[in-house]
Amino acid sequence: MGSTVLSLRIDGELLDRLRDHAAKRGMSVQDYVVRTLIRDDFDERFKAAVDETEKFYGEEQTIT
């Protein structure tokens, strides 16, 4: 898989916050943003898979 350039225009305050978050993790701003996007995408796909599984099997019932 190749890479593609994505250019964003963001305000200085947001960039400063991104720099702080990235620095705390020892990452560049670019790496931090990419990892955040990947994690968010995974979370959405995982939730969709869980929802589909629940539809297929029905909601889990608690036995008391």
Side-chain angles (χ1 to χ4, degrees):
M1 175 197 295
S3 62
T4 303
V5 174
L6 171 65
S7 177
L8 300 173
R9 183 180 305 259
I10 59 175
D11 67 13
E13 184 179 317
L14 176 57
L15 181 57
D16 289 340
R17 290 191 351 238
L18 289 171
R19 282 185 181 133
D20 289 342
H21 288 292
K24 288 177 185 175
R25 291 160 180 81
M27 303 169 73
S28 69
V29 171
Q30 178 180 340
D31 289 341
Y32 176 77
V33 170
V34 168
R35 284 186 180 227
T36 301
L37 291 171
I38 290 169
R39 184 181 63 233
D40 188 53
D41 180 56
F42 172 79
D43 290 346
E44 287 181 23
R45 288 182 289 134
F46 182 74
K47 182 179 179 341
V50 169
D51 291 345
E52 286 298 314
T53 301
E54 286 178 350
K55 284 181 196 175
F56 183 76
Y57 288 107
E59 301 245 354
E60 185 176 318
Q61 297 179 5
T62 305
I63 300 174
T64 55

